[in-house]
Structures are given as C-alpha cells and as structure tokens.
C-alpha cells in the first residue's frame, strides 16, 4: 500500500465530508479512522478507486460516530436527571468531563489520548507529537478508546493521576504550541488542587505557575523566540513565581516526591537565579537525576544533557547526549547548542540548520535558522 497516496488523498476526502455536512473536527476524526482502516485492509484487498473507498468508509465512520455521540448524550442526560444523594456538587463541567473521559475501562494512555482529543481540543497530530509516536499510531489508539467507551455508562470518574497527565499535556501544548490552552489548564488544575489533597496535584500547579510566569519574556516584539538565558527577567511575573514556590515547598515538605514536583523544583531554580549565569546548574542536574529515576523518560535525559553541559562543560554534555537516541525530538538542536558552547561553530551551524528542518512549529524553526545564520556570519568574518 502506498502511504504517500493515502496522504495525498486525505485533503480531498476531508473536503467531501465537510461539504456533505460534517463539521470539520468530526470529519477529521472520521478520515483518520478511515486511514487506519485502509492501513489494515488495503495490502490484502486494494480498492480499484482509492479515493471513493476512503470517502465511503470515512462517511460511514462519521455517521457511526454521530449516532454514538447522540446515544451518549442521551445517556448523560438521563444520568443528570437522576437525583444524586447528598448535597449537589459545585464543580466545573469541563473538569467533570476530564474525569469522565479518564474512564476506568480505559488504560491510562488511552484515557489521556481520548481526553486530549475530545475535551482538550488538541489534534491527533499534536497528541502524537506529545507522546513521541507516529500520527497513525495515535489515531489507532484514540479510535480504540472511542470503541471501548462507546457502550459504557459514564458515571464512574477516572483516577486523579490520569487527569493530571491530561492537564499537563494540555498546558504544554498551550504554553509552547499553536493553541493557547495554558491559562485554562491552570484554572482547571486549581480546581483539582482545591478538592484533592495530594502533593503531585500541588506539584503540577506549582510547575504551571512557574512556567507561565516567564511567558511574557519568551517572545520578542517581532514574535521570535527568546531563549531562557536571554530573557528579560524583569518581565517575569514575580507574584506567580512566589505563589508557585510556596505551593512547591509545601508539597516537598510532605516527602512524597513525584515527577511534577521534581519538574517544578527545576523551574523554581531557574526562577530563583537573578541572572542566567547565576543559575545553580549543579542542583538542577541533581533534580534531573531524580526526575529520570521517576520517569525513565528520554526527553528528561535530553534536558539533563543540557544541564550537564552547563554544570560540567559542553563536552560532558555531549558525552551525556551521545548515550541517547539521535531521533529524539530536539536532539539535533541540543547537539548544536553544545557544539556552539564547545567552540565548534561550523558543526553547530550545520546542526542548527538541520534542526530547523525538523522543528515542530514555525517560531522554533525561525529561531534555529537565525542561530545557524548568526554562527555562519561569525565564522566567515
């Protein structure tokens, strides 16, 4: 089966569904489901008319999803009509949806993916990027999650850990991506913190506040990215920093360390430094060691390599980087930065240009391109 053909046909199929009356988001879901079906069956039974096949299957998927959504709404309406014992809860409908989508019948990974798509407003591509998996793989995961919950009663909320993971990913996409969801993620996390007494809830809220405090300084007037070391720290929101640090200290005092608290501790150390050169990189490396132990995440180890490069020198950072998979997102950009710190401007410029081609968004691509151009100009003098 020709996957290039599938990709080329997708826009046309999507257009047909929208013209037939499907809203864009539902049409996009239906087309993704049809593509997954094509990946499954076309090798054994290729259609004569590929586009016609995709349109037919996608439209059928759209109708099935619409019927399922209508049935789900009816079930939810019946549940809402039933009186709940005890006092009426005072909660946010959006937050309730987060808990309901984190349904016990789903695995945590599937629940997170479904919630991000159905409630968080993220596209399948954005969710796949957050999980470091191909878009087709994530489309399959979301489709399976939809099928799993299509016939269940949404009256058993999921666990807090899954909801925190969703809120964390929504915040990250809103903070650094194309969709502004950061403030909404903070609002919902405050509500969780008000009702759930757990140090990781506090850790996540502290992390969000500390990162959000730097938001005004992250971009220049022309919209270009400003790296942390070059940011005007006078533009940081000191009230949010103070609140985040206070919340974090109270959480750490409970001696139940989790990954969000560790991430918040790293953010607090950055916020505590009056200038970039005064950053306590040695302690940041120690916190990355804790975070790597808690998560075993390749992205954490990538960030740790940067911190090692700052604490022990760029060659130590490059040695830490060499142990990681070069296909990791932003691996090339990190390598470029460490080679620049080590004085190898030619290699750094080449790697910055290579990283720019792989950048996940336009702002990051432009930033990396400018760094490559700046180094090339310095080298040619």
């Amino acid at each position: 089966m020709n996957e290039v053909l599938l990709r080329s046909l997708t826009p046309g199929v999507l257009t047909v569904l929208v013209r037939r009356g499907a809203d864009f988001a539902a049409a996009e879901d239906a087309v993704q489901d049809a593509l997954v079906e094509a990946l499954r069956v076309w090798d054994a039974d290729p259609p004569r008319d590929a586009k016609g096949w995709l349109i037919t299957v996608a439209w059928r998927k759209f109708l099935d999803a619409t019927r399922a959504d209508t049935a789900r709404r009816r079930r939810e309406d019946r549940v809402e009509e039933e009186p709940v014992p005890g006092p009426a809860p005072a909660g946010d409908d959006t937050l309730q949806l987060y808990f309901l989508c984190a349904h016990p019948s789903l695995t945590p990974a599937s629940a997170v993916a479904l919630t991000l798509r159905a409630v968080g407003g993220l596209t399948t591509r954005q969710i796949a990027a957050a999980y470091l998996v191909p878009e087709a793989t994530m489309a399959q995961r979301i489709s399976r999650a939809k099928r799993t919950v299509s016939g269940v009663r949404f009256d058993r909320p999921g666990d807090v850990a899954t909801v925190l993971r969703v809120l964390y990913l929504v915040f990250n996409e809103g903070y650094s991506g194309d969709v502004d969801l950061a403030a909404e993620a903070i609002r919902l996390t405050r509500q969780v913190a008000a009702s759930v007494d757990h140090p990781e809830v506090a850790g996540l809220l502290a992390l969000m506040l500390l990162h959000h405090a730097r938001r005004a300084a992250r971009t220049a007037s022309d919209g270009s990215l400003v790296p942390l070391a070059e940011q005007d720290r006078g533009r940081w929101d000191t009230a949010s920093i103070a609140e985040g640090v206070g919340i974090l200290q109270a959480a750490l005092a409970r001696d139940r360390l989790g990954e969000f608290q560790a991430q918040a501790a790293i953010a607090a150390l950055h916020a505590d430094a009056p200038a970039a050169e005064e950053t306590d990189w040695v302690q940041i490396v120690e916190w990355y060691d804790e975070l790597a132990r808690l998560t075993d995440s390749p992205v954490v180890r990538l960030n740790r390599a940067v911190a090692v490069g700052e604490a022990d020198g760029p060659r130590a950072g490059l040695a830490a980087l060499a142990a990681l998979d070069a296909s990791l997102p932003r691996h090339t950009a990190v390598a470029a930065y460490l080679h620049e710190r080590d004085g190898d401007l030619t290699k750094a410029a080449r790697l910055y240009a290579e990283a720019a081609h792989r950048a996940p968004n336009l702002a990051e691509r432009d930033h990396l391109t400018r760094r490559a151009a700046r180094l090339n100009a310095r080298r040619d003098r």
Side-chain angles (χ1 to χ4, degrees), residues 59-134:
W59 183 248
R60 187 183 306 130
K61 297 284 186 183
F62 166 73
L63 293 176
D64 289 345
T66 301
R67 294 187 190 103
D69 185 62
T70 301
R72 175 184 60 78
R73 291 178 186 276
R74 288 173 181 164
R75 289 196 300 270
E76 290 174 354
D77 289 343
R78 286 197 297 270
V79 170
E80 289 176 359
E81 290 167 3
E82 297 172 2
V84 179
D92 182 273
D93 288 343
T94 304
L95 186 58
Q96 184 183 23
L97 284 174
Y98 273 72
F99 274 94
L100 290 175
C101 282
H103 198 272
S105 63
L106 296 171
T107 64
S110 295
V112 169
L114 177 62
T115 313
L116 289 171
R117 187 70 186 90
V119 188
L122 275 62
T123 66
T124 303
R125 180 174 301 170
Q126 289 169 323
I127 303 168
Y131 271 89
L132 308 180
V133 300

Side-chain angles (χ1 to χ4, degrees), residues 5 75 107 155 164 178 196 207 290 296 308 357 374-375:
L5 172 64
R75 289 196 300 270
T107 64
D155 57 355
L164 291 184
D178 301 323
V196 178
L207 174 64
E290 287 287 345
D296 194 29
V308 168
H357 287 294
R374 178 175 53 81
L375 291 186

Side-chain angles (χ1 to χ4, degrees), residues 337-356:
Y337 173 74
L338 292 171
H339 279 292
E340 179 184 359
R341 288 278 319 282
D342 196 38
D344 189 345
L345 302 189
T346 299
K347 188 168 187 177
R350 177 177 60 78
L351 289 171
Y352 275 132
E354 184 180 332

Side-chain angles (χ1 to χ4, degrees), residues 57-315:
V57 174
W59 183 248
R60 187 183 306 130
K61 297 284 186 183
F62 166 73
L63 293 176
D64 289 345
T66 301
R67 294 187 190 103
D69 185 62
T70 301
R72 175 184 60 78
R73 291 178 186 276
R74 288 173 181 164
R75 289 196 300 270
E76 290 174 354
D77 289 343
R78 286 197 297 270
V79 170
E80 289 176 359
E81 290 167 3
E82 297 172 2
V84 179
D92 182 273
D93 288 343
T94 304
L95 186 58
Q96 184 183 23
L97 284 174
Y98 273 72
F99 274 94
L100 290 175
C101 282
H103 198 272
S105 63
L106 296 171
T107 64
S110 295
V112 169
L114 177 62
T115 313
L116 289 171
R117 187 70 186 90
V119 188
L122 275 62
T123 66
T124 303
R125 180 174 301 170
Q126 289 169 323
I127 303 168
Y131 271 89
L132 308 180
V133 300
E135 185 176 352
T137 300
M138 184 53 66
Q140 289 179 312
R141 184 179 299 176
I142 293 172
S143 295
R144 285 196 300 269
K146 289 178 179 177
R147 287 195 296 270
T148 299
V149 301
S150 62
V152 302
R153 182 183 173 95
F154 276 76
D155 57 355
R156 290 188 298 150
D159 68 331
V160 173
T162 300
V163 173
L164 291 184
R165 175 63 49 189
V166 173
L167 289 170
Y168 172 70
L169 291 173
V170 169
F171 176 82
N172 279 346
E173 188 59 43
Y175 183 70
S176 61
D178 301 323
V179 184
D180 187 359
L181 297 169
E184 174 68 357
I186 291 174
R187 184 183 73 84
L188 293 174
T189 305
R190 285 189 186 279
Q191 291 192 8
V192 179
S195 59
V196 178
D197 182 24
H198 192 285
E200 271 296 81
V201 180
L204 178 58
L205 179 56
L207 174 64
M208 289 179 174
L209 289 170
L210 289 164
H211 277 303
H212 205 59
R214 302 199 301 259
R215 188 166 191 178
R218 290 185 72 249
T219 54
S221 57
D222 62 357
S224 60
L225 292 181
V226 180
L228 177 60
E230 300 171 18
Q231 289 177 14
D232 177 1
R233 299 185 179 220
R235 298 183 66 195
W236 289 1
D237 183 346
T238 55
S240 291
I241 290 173
E243 183 185 5
V245 169
I247 292 171
L248 172 63
Q249 288 174 338
L252 291 175
R254 300 176 67 175
D255 198 24
R256 293 168 59 190
L257 184 64
E259 63 173 295
F260 295 131
Q261 295 168 73
Q263 288 190 60
I266 293 168
L269 286 167
H270 284 298
D272 188 54
E277 56 270 17
E278 298 178 58
T279 304
D280 189 345
W281 286 106
V282 172
Q283 194 173 167
I284 287 177
V285 171
E286 292 173 356
W287 275 111
Y288 270 121
D289 288 338
E290 287 287 345
L291 190 55
R293 179 183 61 80
L294 289 166
T295 65
D296 194 29
S297 165
V299 175
V300 168
R301 297 187 187 279
L302 184 68
N303 291 330
R304 179 186 177 277
V306 176
V308 168
E310 299 289 352
D312 301 327
R315 294 193 179 181

